[in-house]
Each structure stands twice: as structure tokens, then as C-alpha cells.
Amino acid sequence: MAIKRIGVLTSGGDAPGMNPCVRAVVRAALYRGIECYGIRRGYNGLINGDVVKLDEKSVSHTINRGGTILYTARSKEFMTEEGQRKAASTCKFLGLDGIIAIGGDGTFRGALALSKFGVNVIGIPGTIDNDIACTNYCIGFDTAANTAIECIDKLRDTMQSHERCSVVEVMGRNAGYLAMYVGLACGATAVLVPEKPIDFEQDVVEKIRQARLNGFTHYMIVVAEGAGSASAIAEQIKEATDLDPRVTVLGHIQRGGTPTGRDRVNATKMGYLAVELLKEGKTNRIVCTQDGGFTDIDIDEALAMHKNIQQMEIDVLAAMTGI
Ligand code: F6P
């Protein structure tokens, strides 16, 4: 079947680079003679027919913008069979030959549900959490990491002057990739991630003690949101060491901002590849990076995969933090 008209949506938490990706989908589609429609507010937009025609003009000046011009949502209604049926019926009614969904795990589960109603779907990984198992790279991670690194570098200046301990909470409700990467990049004293059970004495107190014994008088503890609240950890540090830690929660700052070059270029390549897949008649695929190159994988297979923090990162962190 020749693909004539497609839709693109962003869903779940936004990520810097979603706009360049939408732009790439639109431009690649037009290049192939395919009409492109933006579905606004994630899967809610499909349920409600919240659809807007996109052309070169609608995506101009978006390659450098954070957020998503299509808006995003975590749709409760789409989690129901009735919601999925309505969304599929919108696709049928509008004659959409395929949907490109940019987002994380939840977005791909949604895409899979939609495919069960006969809709052609392609997923593109976009989440600052970088927790999609089938891909090494997710759109937004690079920008979010660099934002967090810049903030922590600034914190370090004042922590050093005052000889303080800083506890910084970075995003990642269920995943510690951002925390681990940022912790390595910032020379953290300790990094706490949800994937690894915490032995507070060994993983925090002993690290601070070692740093002090090695002549340091400021300490940077990086905590992933899902590993515990920064203020609770600061309290525990205070009790155990008599230090008076300062707490910083970076929060949604990490989800905004101009996408980095890496996020822009990868988002552009992924958007282009997603259109090519639909054009070739493929469906139920996720565009991903593996072994340094771009490829695609079946959604079912991708969702069954499990990702964990690399042992090498744990080993390197252990070496860098002195124990
Ligand atoms: O998009 C992923 C993420 O940023 C997680 O790291 C974080 O836990 C969550 O979204 C926050 O979601 P919300 O924007 O709904 O507060």
C-alpha cells in the first residue's frame, strides 16, 4: 500500500530534541510526497481528533527549540480499550496510513495497543531518562545531562568556597542513567541510583570519609529521583557526619532548553528513518541506535527487553570515588 498521509505525535514527558524530530518527520514526509499531520497532546489528540496539518513553514525555527510544539500528555483515556478504539477510529476516518510516536516506554506501549486495531505505527525514543532498553540513545538525554552538568558545576563553586556537602537530585523516577552519567561527568563523591540497593554507610558515609581523608573539604552527592529524596539523604548525612549539607533539586529545568547538536542531529536522523520505514511498508518498529549505528526493532521485542546500568559505569564510579 502506498503511504499517502501520516500523523506524528509526542507523548509522555517532553524531551529537548522532540521538535527537531517532528521537523525531520515533516520534511522527510514531504520529500517523499507524503502529507503529514501533527496530533496534538499525545494520544489524547488522536482520541479527540486534535489534528493539525504540518508543512515546511509550520516547523520552521523549531530545530533549536526545546519542548514540543505538538504539546504532550500522559493520556489516561488511551489506557482504556475504549480510548484506543476511538484513537484508531480517528486514524481510519482521517485516512492516516501511519503514526509516528515520539516518547518513552509508555508511548511505545500505546503504539503497540494502537497497532492491535490495525494502525501502522513507528516509535522514536525520546526521553531524558534514557531508559529504553532497545536503544543506546534516546532523544533529550544529551541536552538534559549537559544542563544538569552545568548546574552542578556552578554548585561545586560555592560548595568548594564554603567547604560544604551538596546533595543534588536529578530526574529519573525509575532510572539512574542520567544520575550516573552526570555523576561521572561532575566528579561526584557518590551517586545513588534506583537500580542499585543503597548501603548508606558504605555508599555515602564512607565515600565522604574517604574524600575527607584524601584532603577534600567539599562533597557532591548526586541522587536520582527514584533512589530517594535529596532532603532525606541530606538529613541522614547530617546525622552520620555532623556536616550540614545543602539540597538542590534540579527538577524540570533538566527537561527544557535548546537541544544540543547531538540531540538535534540524532533526532533528525531518527525522524527521517521513521518515515522511510513507513514508506517501505514496515510497522510496529522502534527506531534505535545499536553498536554506534541506526537500526529498527520490533516493538514487542523492544518492550520485552530490560536495561540496566552498565557494570563498567559502576566500576569506573567506584574507582573515581576512591574505594
Ligand atoms: O520524562 C521522564 C521524567 O522526566 C522522569 O525523569 C520524571 O520522574 C518524570 O518524567 C516527571 O514527570 P512530570 O513531568 O509529570 O512531573
Side-chain angles (χ1 to χ4, degrees), residues 12-14 74 127-129 171-174 178 225 252 255:
D14 64 352
R74 293 186 175 99
T127 164
I128 66 158
D129 290 350
M171 269 191 167
R173 200 163 23 212
N174 305 310
L178 189 60
E225 191 186 350
H252 289 80
R255 286 235 303 257

Side-chain angles (χ1 to χ4, degrees), residues 14-296:
D14 64 352
M18 281 183 164
N19 279 333
C21 191
V22 170
R23 173 185 179 272
V25 167
V26 174
R27 294 184 78 101
L30 296 176
Y31 178 66
R32 295 294 186 198
I34 300 168
E35 283 176 40
C36 190
Y37 285 78
I39 320 289
R40 300 198 295 188
R41 304 178 176 87
Y43 290 110
N44 280 340
L46 266 190
I47 292 170
N48 303 320
D50 189 356
V51 168
V52 56
K53 186 163 186 172
L54 297 174
D55 58 19
E56 294 95 333
K57 269 269 164 248
S58 12
V59 290
S60 69
H61 301 298
T62 60
I63 198 162
N64 57 336
R65 281 172 59 190
T68 162
I69 56 165
L70 293 179
Y71 307 100
T72 186
R74 293 186 175 99
S75 173
K76 286 218 167 65
E77 194 180 350
F78 188 72
M79 287 179 188
T80 66
E81 203 181 312
E82 184 49 25
Q84 292 157 13
R85 199 180 297 280
K86 277 194 206 165
S89 133
T90 303
C91 294
K92 194 171 171 193
F93 177 59
L94 297 178
L96 297 175
D97 300 318
I99 295 291
I100 295 175
I102 310 164
D105 211 56
T107 305
F108 300 149
R109 286 185 201 287
L112 189 62
L114 205 52
S115 76
K116 304 266 192 272
F117 288 91
V119 180
N120 295 328
V121 290
I122 303 289
I124 300 181
T127 164
I128 66 158
D129 290 350
N130 206 25
D131 60 346
I132 307 296
C134 65
T135 187
N136 307 121
Y137 166 85
C138 293
I139 295 170
F141 176 77
D142 192 58
T143 308
N146 280 296
T147 300
I149 290 165
E150 193 185 333
C151 292
I152 294 175
D153 284 349
K154 287 180 176 158
L155 268 176
R156 175 194 282 277
D157 291 344
T158 170
M159 292 302 137
Q160 186 173 23
S161 311
H162 287 264
E163 301 180 280
R164 276 178 174 152
C165 176
S166 188
V167 182
V168 191
E169 187 178 305
V170 302
M171 269 191 167
R173 200 163 23 212
N174 305 310
Y177 307 104
L178 189 60
M180 186 58 93
Y181 188 90
V182 162
L184 282 171
C186 293
T189 314
V191 181
L192 306 180
V193 294
E195 291 87 345
K196 198 170 165 283
I198 301 166
D199 175 340
F200 194 74
E201 179 60 30
Q202 191 63 26
D203 297 340
V204 182
V205 179
E206 192 56 29
K207 300 266 180 192
I208 294 175
R209 190 175 290 134
Q210 281 295 328
R212 183 69 195 93
L213 288 170
N214 287 329
F216 296 96
T217 55
H218 67 281
Y219 319 96
M220 184 65 70
I221 314 298
V222 175
V223 187
E225 191 186 350
S229 99
S231 35
I233 286 159
E235 271 307 312
Q236 277 179 278
I237 293 174
K238 191 172 181 173
E239 251 173 56
T241 63
D242 276 347
L243 291 169
D244 188 13
R246 293 296 191 265
V247 172
T248 308
V249 178
L250 294 181
H252 289 80
I253 289 279
Q254 296 157 100
R255 286 235 303 257
T258 301
T260 58
R262 182 164 187 235
D263 273 332
R264 292 184 205 191
V265 172
N266 283 347
T268 300
K269 288 180 178 172
M270 286 178 150
Y272 165 82
L273 286 173
V275 172
E276 289 295 294
L277 287 173
L278 281 178
K279 198 181 134 278
E280 287 162 16
K282 301 219 175 111
T283 180
N284 277 20
R285 311 292 294 174
I286 294 178
V287 179
C288 52
T289 63
Q290 281 171 6
D291 307 323
F294 289 83
T295 182
D296 56 277

